[in-house]
């Protein structure tokens, strides 16, 4: 097992299709790698060390910045299809031919499209706080739209209103998350204004509805674990039900008193559930 942790692992780089991708790699060679596709305005530092280190205790974990995000070079893309293509480029640039994928929020959109367009690359999928194409939008009255309209969030504390619920218990868990993500000395480059504009366009494009918008889900036959908080104000929890219903082989896991980042609020339980899902021969019957 690697001795590197989320707070000490060096930021590495790999070239693919003219982009210099920044990434961190843990427990290399320990079974099937799980590759994280990150949320809107997220970089290498916004992923909870408790989740990274917990999963990396028994498997290889890889986190990366997509093109034009954080420390990666290139131009940020403005469609989910293009961001998913960047993810495929990154995975193959590392010489990997088969991975598990964990996608959070917009990273969940990317994980879906990556699996749909490159099924040979993906074995299993974990989707957290995300939605299908043309999913149910959030309620503007709940404040998430204002959070994103304010521009790039460059404060660890800034994630508290959306990743966590309003209760004192949930916010207390959020403060523990802030302490964990803030414990790394060497920090990634913040999400840029250009990336916000491009990814904002990708969010809009993904939200476009149509009677055939969600047909792609029927083609995703990999086992999928769908995870969310009980009250996600960014991507309403009802979208997780829709994913579980329309994906052919999906299980739904909902956490109580939680928001858009339930795996950050309940990292130990999430790591246990995710590890069980990834490890079993048949994740839903064994």
């Amino acid at each position: 097992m690697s001795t590197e942790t989320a707070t000490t692992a060096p930021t590495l780089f790999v070239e693919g299709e003219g982009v210099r991708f920044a990434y961190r790699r843990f427990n290399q060679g320990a079974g099937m790698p799980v590759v994280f596709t990150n949320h809107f305005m997220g970089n290498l530092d916004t992923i909870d060390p408790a989740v990274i280190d917990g999963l990396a205790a028994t498997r290889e974990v890889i986190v990366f910045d997509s093109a034009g995000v954080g420390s990666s070079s290139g131009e940020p893309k403005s469609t989910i299809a293009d961001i998913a293509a960047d993810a495929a480029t990154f995975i193959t640039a590392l010489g990997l031919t088969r991975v598990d994928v964990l996608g959070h929020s917009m990273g969940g959109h990317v994980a879906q499209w990556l699996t749909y367009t490159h099924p040979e690359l993906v074995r299993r999928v974990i989707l957290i706080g995300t939605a299908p194409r043309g999913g149910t939008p959030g309620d503007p009255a709940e404040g998430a739209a204002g959070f994103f309209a304010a521009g790039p969030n460059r404060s660890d504390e800034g994630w508290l209103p959306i990743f966590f619920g309003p209760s004192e218990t949930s916010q207390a868990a959020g403060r523990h998350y802030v302490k964990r993500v803030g414990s790394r000395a060497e920090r990634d480059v913040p999400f840029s204004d250009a990336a916000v504009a491009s990814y904002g366009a990708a969010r809009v494009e993904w939200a476009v509805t149509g009677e055939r918008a969600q047909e792609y889900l029927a083609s995703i036959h990999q086992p999928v674990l769908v995870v969310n908080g009980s009250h996600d104000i960014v991507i309403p929890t009802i979208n997780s039900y829709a994913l579980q219903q329309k994906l052919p082989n999906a299980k739904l896991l909902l956490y109580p008193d939680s928001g858009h980042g339930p795996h950050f609020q309940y990292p130990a339980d999430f790591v246990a559930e995710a590890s069980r899902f990834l490890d079993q021969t048949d994740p839903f019957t064994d």
Side-chain angles (χ1 to χ4, degrees):
M1 176 182 167
S2 170
T3 58
E4 297 289 1
T5 68
T7 57
T8 64
T11 300
L12 307 173
F13 295 89
V14 65
E15 297 275 348
E17 299 292 331
V19 175
R20 188 171 183 253
F21 291 98
Y23 70 101
R24 296 175 190 155
R25 195 168 191 170
F26 309 86
N27 207 4
Q28 184 173 348
M32 182 70 63
V34 55
V35 177
F36 287 41
T37 51
N38 211 358
H39 61 86
F40 183 45
M41 295 192 197
N43 65 10
L44 297 175
D45 296 332
T46 61
I47 305 169
D48 195 336
V51 173
I52 293 174
D53 294 341
L55 288 173
T58 56
R59 75 198 68 248
E60 181 173 352
V61 172
I62 301 169
V63 300
F64 78 104
D65 286 331
S66 193
V69 171
S71 298
S72 291
S73 71
E75 296 298 321
K77 303 302 194 300
S78 57
T79 69
I80 294 300
D82 286 341
I83 300 170
D86 278 346
T89 295
F90 168 74
I91 291 166
T92 55
L94 288 180
L96 301 172
T97 58
R98 192 80 164 159
V99 298
D100 295 327
V101 179
L102 184 156
H104 177 206
S105 190
M106 178 178 277
H109 308 342
V110 174
Q112 292 171 57
W113 208 252
L114 174 66
T115 306
Y116 172 59
T117 56
H118 294 80
E120 74 287 352
L121 276 182
V122 182
R123 186 190 68 131
R124 292 183 184 171
V125 187
I126 299 175
L127 300 176
I128 307 171
T130 193
R133 284 184 64 90
T136 301
D139 183 349
E142 296 197 282
F147 172 88
F148 292 116
N153 175 48
R154 293 170 180 161
S155 162
D156 294 334
E157 292 81 2
W159 297 110
L160 291 175
I162 63 169
F163 283 169
F164 301 89
S167 75
E168 177 52 38
T169 299
S170 189
Q171 287 295 300
R175 290 189 289 274
H176 287 297
Y177 160 81
V178 168
K179 185 176 181 179
R180 292 192 297 269
V181 297
S183 62
R184 184 179 173 93
E186 178 209 335
R187 304 285 283 184
D188 194 12
V189 175
F191 210 84
S192 69
D193 290 326
V196 168
S198 292
Y199 274 50
R203 291 175 69 227
V204 171
E205 185 272 336
W206 185 259
V208 172
T209 59
E211 64 179 56
R212 303 184 66 181
Q214 298 176 6
E215 285 185 355
Y216 71 97
L217 292 171
S219 299
I220 296 176
H221 294 283
Q222 289 87 338
V224 180
L225 179 63
V226 181
V227 182
N228 211 339
S230 57
H231 187 63
D232 186 340
I233 66 169
V234 178
I235 298 178
T237 303
I238 192 66
N239 289 291
S240 294
Y241 286 96
L243 285 168
Q244 193 279 326
Q245 290 291 298
K246 294 181 180 181
L247 287 162
N249 193 17
K251 175 181 178 178
L252 177 60
L253 175 63
L254 293 181
Y255 282 99
D257 184 30
S258 52
H260 191 52
H263 53 320
F264 301 156
Q265 180 166 340
Y266 299 96
D269 188 83
F270 170 75
V271 166
E273 292 283 353
S275 296
R276 177 175 177 271
F277 167 75
L278 295 172
D279 286 342
Q280 291 180 312
T281 303
D282 185 332
F284 301 139
T285 60
D286 286 1

